[in-house]
Amino acid sequence: MDTDGTRDARETPATPVPRPPGPRDVPAAPRGTPPSFHGSAVPPRPTRAPHVPGADSPPSYAPPTAPPRSPVADWLDEPRPTVVPGVWRYGYRRPKGTSQEQRLAPVTIVGFFVPLAAGLFLWSLWRHGGIPYQWAVLKLLTPDDWWWAGTTSPKGYQGVEAVTVADGVAFALIVFAMARLGSWSDIIRHVVTRRPQPARALSAALGALIALAFVFPGAFGLGWDPLPVQDPLFSLIVLITGGYQVFASVLFTDTLYGLITVLVLWPFARIGGWWAFGKEAIAARTRAKDVQVAAPRVERRPSHWPELREAGQHQAADLLTTEVHAGRMNDVDCARIGHMWTVARARARLSSFTETVLRDGATAWTHPSGARDLPGRSARHDLLTGQVRIGQWAAGERTPSTYGGAGAALGPDTLGTSLLAVGPSGSGKTRHLIRPVVESLGLQALAGQCSVVAVCAAGTPLGPDSAYDVVVRLGDPASVYDLDPYADSHDPDEAAACLAEGLAGDLDVVSGQRSVTALAQLLGPYRAAYGRFPTLPQLRELLEGDPSALASLRAALTGDEHAMMRRELDARARQAGGAGDPGPLLADRLAVLDRPAFAGFFGAGQGEARPFSLRAVAHHPLRVRIDLPGRGYDEAARLITRLLLAQFGAVATVGERTHFAALVLDDATGAVTAESVRRIQRLRSCNAGVVLALRTVGDVPEALHGPLYAAVGCRMAFSGVTTWDGSRFAEAWGTQWVETRDVARHTVFADQPMTRAIHALRKLVTGKAVTTEAVTVRQVERERWSASELAHGVPPGHAVLSLTTVRGEHAPPLLVDLRG
């Protein structure tokens, strides 16, 4: 096949990939004239000089014995531990504060030694007969002929053995009481059970060895007296059997010693996890024995591509390792090839993957634009995890030790739940949030993992034009691309729903369903008659009820196959001019876009601009920027933004794709409607998300404040928000239980003359009356962040951010230093 496997793992549909209008900063292959977005041919892949000579028989690549290190190799090998959401994983190290949390509390240590001291004191009293009525229970439970009359002195061997058994029972009760009353379990958990294997098993074995030394000191050559463990057991057997004859059997005696040893070791075996550790070690040894031929050792460093080697693709792994260490690959190349390896392995196309890698090397599966990097970067990115660093979590009482001092990062796992950012002008929404996020999504698009649509005002610093595949400048005659108001839809009802949302979704005076019906009654007949949807000026004439336009459309529907469409058109004609007819209102809204400044846009067919459909981002990893019209067209900008949000919600929730789709609105004023909120809720299950930036929550209808905050999973309040905006965040973040300490000081009034004199002298010296303090500690429920704290307690250059991942993990609202 022509693609040689370079397209097989992706399985993109026939919708063409848009091509950039101008040259790139990164060298790329020559490109022809970009085809129309509505065509059916897939543009050819840019031709590249293969890195491996002899494509017919790819040679074998042997890894160098000591390959030189490169910055990309160091970047690949840097650890990225799994951490809580929102933490910058690249090179993350556990902060020092977390180790202090693992230290034992003083009360835990005291709870261990105090019962131990009490137990030793009781055992000493028992051994010396200092406990009142110590032997009363023993004499009550044993025959009288074992004791001399009126005393507790044993008359024969039975009394002696009974005393030994009583010592063992008392010792067992004292040990049980110390374990129950003390914090022995916390000590054991801290010292032994929290350790990984084999340290856990070895720690328990050391404790078992010490215990055996106290139970059998003679076996270890020690001179102290043994603990009352074996002697009480032997004495009990003597009392049961009635003599010492049973110990004449060496087998029986050894069995008793073995039983005692097992009983002593059993708790240590449970604490140390000996059984599970032993089974795992035996299983590993069995697996090693089953391998007849020793497999070559696989280098586990990511820069040596161990996953490919484990799957048997050694030639591809050797080539990629050489490319990485030679400096011919960047982070985008590594992420792109790693993503394609994941896709190929999931679809069982390993041979096609290897062929492509051996032929193209580091340039395999290069983005259709030919770019392998952005012209410039303004933030720190980690493409292996898909994260972009936006700041640093500020340390403080509110911040858990896991977050304190760590980098704050966003990625597709959090952006997939959508993000709402609120802050006044100048608070840094574009500089610290929107641009880093758009830049990160653009890099992931070059790696084939994402498509991004950035909507902003003309002149917003979101990177140069060369950083995008498509740049739509609405109202600019020099714009290479146009915007399709119908999103390349072939269904009149779907096109009517999106267009009605954009035109009148923010109005309460007209019903949304009536608007959709009115538009569908015109779009359906027009498409049936002419094979396309009308331009916006033509649609405006039809909505206004222009007789000549309606008559021309009716004349085009003369065939019997258009009977249904004629009935739709007649229904629209009957409703025109009636009470509650949305047609005039929709026509007035269309008049905002039917201006001379937009004469060549929105599918008007004038000029050389090619229509761009938002549906393309659902099929290809594209980088798109849409510049809204400048000053004087604020209402048109809000209408277009609302239309784009509606179209994105419609196209992103249809079908399946392997890449993440994102819509970033630098200014979402007037874009949020009741229907768009419902669509945002469905995006997280469709591998898509939106980023909404607002100057104030007042730019959203008040009835939608609660639903909007509930629909998004990530919320961000910048410095300078008002108390009204802060109250919405405080309500969304809820409350938490905190511990408070109330200190009350009471003046001490003395009754005795001497005490009063001393108090008077103390007051004369210190100037303060003698008081006592009463401390009350209680649990109260308080807001995580109050409206006043958000309005006045967030320093400039900071923001309060809460995150939710698509897997349901949460990060509490914490302060972020956006300059860190």
Side-chain angles (χ1 to χ4, degrees):
M1 57 188 300
D2 296 335
T3 60
D4 294 322
T6 58
R7 300 280 180 181
D8 297 343
R10 185 170 298 177
E11 286 189 355
T12 54
T15 307
V17 180
R19 311 306 292 271
R24 297 289 174 187
D25 294 344
V26 180
R31 297 181 296 273
T33 304
S36 171
F37 286 98
H38 301 284
S40 58
V42 178
R45 176 174 57 86
T47 58
R48 295 179 295 273
H51 279 249
V52 183
D56 299 334
S57 58
S60 175
Y61 293 88
T65 56
R69 300 293 295 176
S70 68
V72 177
D74 295 335
W75 171 78
L76 282 172
D77 295 337
E78 188 70 21
R80 294 169 175 83
T82 302
V83 292
V84 291
V87 172
W88 175 253
R89 293 175 55 187
Y90 175 77
Y92 175 78
R93 300 293 187 274
R94 184 179 296 274
K96 297 181 180 179
T98 55
S99 60
Q100 297 180 357
E101 292 183 356
Q102 297 180 357
R103 296 178 181 176
L104 287 174
V107 66
T108 305
I109 300 175
V110 172
F112 173 77
F113 285 104
V114 169
L116 179 61
L120 293 175
F121 178 71
L122 288 176
W123 177 244
S124 178
L125 291 179
W126 177 274
R127 294 291 293 174
H128 293 85
I131 298 179
Y133 306 102
Q134 179 173 333
W135 306 109
V137 178
L138 180 61
K139 291 191 64 177
L140 181 64
L141 298 177
T142 56
D144 294 337
D145 57 356
W146 288 9
W147 314 94
W148 294 104
T151 66
T152 56
S153 300
K155 185 184 295 185
Y157 75 91
Q158 294 92 343
V160 176
E161 303 299 343
V163 171
T164 305
V165 173
D167 289 343
V169 173
F171 178 78
L173 292 176
I174 292 175
V175 172
F176 178 77
M178 287 191 300
R180 293 289 295 176
L181 298 178
S183 55
W184 287 23
S185 59
D186 296 334
I187 295 291
I188 293 174
R189 188 180 304 110
H190 179 81
V191 176
V192 181
T193 57
R194 74 180 181 90
R195 296 178 180 272
Q197 297 288 12
R200 175 183 175 183
L202 293 176
S203 301
L206 179 61
L209 187 63
I210 296 174
L212 289 175
F214 280 96
V215 175
F216 304 111
F220 293 86
L222 303 175
W224 58 63
D225 294 334
L227 293 177
V229 176
Q230 58 173 335
D231 291 342
L233 180 61
F234 280 92
S235 298
L236 181 62
I237 294 176
V238 169
L239 294 177
I240 293 175
T241 59
Y244 298 97
Q245 297 80 5
V246 67
F247 297 109
S249 173
V250 178
L251 178 61
F252 180 75
T253 304
D254 293 342
T255 302
L256 287 180
Y257 280 118
L259 177 62
I260 295 172
T261 304
V262 171
L263 292 177
V264 173
L265 295 180
W266 177 74
F268 293 95
R270 292 195 60 186
I271 294 172
W274 293 355
W275 181 254
F277 178 67
K279 289 200 305 183
E280 183 179 352
I282 293 174
R285 189 171 183 180
T286 303
R287 289 194 299 267
K289 289 182 178 180
D290 293 340
V291 178
Q292 299 297 332
V293 180
R297 181 178 178 270
V298 177
E299 178 62 59
R300 295 304 307 171
R301 286 186 296 178
S303 60
H304 290 260
W305 303 86
E307 294 184 356
L308 275 68
R309 300 183 189 276
E310 291 175 352
Q313 309 300 317
H314 295 283
Q315 287 186 334
D318 293 341
L319 173 61
L320 293 177
T321 301
T322 304
E323 296 278 75
V324 168
H325 289 83
R328 291 190 291 268
M329 291 182 68
N330 59 9
D331 55 349
V332 177
D333 298 331
C334 296
R336 182 182 67 252
I337 295 177
H339 172 68
M340 295 309 301
W341 164 252
T342 302
V343 174
R345 185 173 54 181
R347 299 179 180 178
R349 295 179 176 176
L350 304 186
S351 60
S352 176
F353 173 87
T354 302
E355 292 175 2
T356 305
V357 169
L358 294 179
R359 183 182 63 251
D360 297 334
T363 60
W365 298 285
T366 301
H367 192 264
S369 64
R372 295 168 57 187
D373 201 353
L374 295 180
R377 302 189 185 186
S378 62
R380 295 182 60 187
H381 305 274
D382 184 21
L383 294 182
L384 286 189
T385 59
Q387 289 185 320
V388 54
R389 179 163 178 163
I390 61 172
Q392 184 177 8
W393 297 103
E397 295 181 357
R398 298 176 182 266
T399 306
S401 57
T402 308
Y403 287 91
L410 296 175
D413 58 337
T414 52
L415 296 179
T417 61
S418 299
L419 186 147
L420 173 65
V422 179
S425 299
S427 59
K429 297 189 303 298
T430 301
R431 181 173 65 258
H432 296 303
L433 176 65
I434 300 300
R435 181 170 181 177
V437 168
V438 172
E439 192 175 273
S440 175
L441 296 175
L443 288 171
Q444 295 177 50
L446 293 179
Q449 304 175 14
C450 175
S451 59
V452 55
V453 179
V455 182
C456 60
T460 304
L462 293 185
D465 295 349
S466 58
Y468 298 90
D469 303 311
V470 175
V471 178
V472 181
R473 295 186 179 90
L474 297 174
D476 186 356
S479 177
V480 179
Y481 290 102
D482 186 11
L483 180 65
D484 184 2
Y486 304 107
D488 195 21
S489 176
H490 303 287
D491 184 2
D493 292 330
E494 180 186 10
C498 292
L499 192 57
E501 182 72 14
L503 294 176
D506 60 330
L507 300 178
D508 297 331
V509 296
V510 59
S511 171
Q513 187 57 43
R514 291 178 64 89
S515 301
V516 174
T517 303
L519 288 171
Q521 289 173 343
L522 295 174
L523 295 180
Y526 197 97
R527 182 175 180 82
Y530 301 104
R532 61 177 179 86
F533 289 124
T535 61
L536 296 189
Q538 294 170 341
L539 181 60
R540 178 186 176 186
E541 293 178 354
L542 294 173
L543 288 172
E544 290 175 344
D546 185 10
S548 60
L550 291 175
S552 176
L553 179 57
R554 180 185 296 276
L557 299 172
T558 55
D560 296 337
E561 67 277 8
H562 299 314
M564 180 69 69
M565 294 303 170
R566 287 197 300 271
R567 187 164 65 245
E568 286 280 286
L569 191 60
D570 293 340
R572 173 89 284 272
R574 289 193 301 269
Q575 296 172 4
D581 177 27
L585 181 60
L586 295 174
D588 292 341
R589 282 299 182 95
L590 275 179
V592 176
L593 300 179
D594 187 16
R595 305 295 301 163
F598 308 117
F601 290 89
F602 305 112
Q606 301 178 11
E608 299 180 356
R610 293 179 296 278
F612 168 73
S613 168
L614 207 63
R615 195 174 300 273
V617 301
H619 302 296
H620 306 285
L622 296 177
R623 301 165 297 164
V624 182
R625 194 186 75 209
I626 300 178
D627 291 345
L628 299 175
R631 296 180 179 179
Y633 299 96
D634 295 340
E635 184 63 26
R638 286 192 290 268
L639 193 151
I640 295 170
T641 304
R642 193 162 51 247
L643 175 62
L644 291 172
L645 181 58
Q647 290 183 352
F648 182 81
V651 302
T653 55
V654 177
E656 297 182 358
R657 61 183 179 278
T658 60
H659 64 274
F660 179 74
L663 174 67
V664 182
L665 301 182
D666 183 61
D667 184 7
T669 301
V672 179
T673 63
E675 185 61 31
S676 63
V677 169
R678 284 190 286 269
R679 289 195 178 102
I680 291 175
Q681 291 176 330
R682 297 193 293 266
L683 290 178
R684 68 174 62 187
S685 61
C686 302
N687 197 20
V690 299
V691 178
L692 307 175
L694 294 170
R695 297 183 182 89
T696 174
V697 186
D699 293 334
V700 177
E702 186 174 359
L704 297 178
H705 288 181
L708 176 60
Y709 277 86
V712 297
C714 305
R715 309 175 187 94
M716 194 170 186
F718 283 79
S719 173
V721 296
T722 63
T723 53
W724 290 273
D725 292 342
S727 63
R728 296 299 185 184
F729 282 99
E731 183 179 357
W733 285 329
T735 59
Q736 64 179 347
W737 289 98
V738 296
E739 184 180 280
T740 61
R741 295 171 59 90
D742 298 330
V743 180
R745 291 181 171 85
H746 305 282
T747 304
V748 178
F749 297 96
D751 296 332
Q752 301 298 326
M754 181 59 69
T755 308
R756 286 200 298 269
I758 294 174
H759 288 183
L761 179 61
R762 180 176 175 181
K763 182 177 181 180
L764 181 63
V765 173
T766 62
K768 298 179 181 179
V770 179
T771 60
T772 59
E773 292 185 354
V775 180
T776 304
V777 180
R778 56 179 179 173
Q779 295 283 337
V780 297
E781 193 175 9
R782 289 184 178 176
E783 292 178 329
R784 297 181 181 271
W785 285 86
S786 67
S788 179
E789 288 174 328
L790 290 173
H792 308 292
V794 180
H798 290 66
V800 179
L801 172 64
S802 69
L803 300 173
T804 303
T805 67
V806 292
R807 296 183 299 272
E809 300 172 334
H810 295 272
L814 302 174
L815 186 64
V816 179
D817 184 359
L818 300 174
R819 300 165 299 184

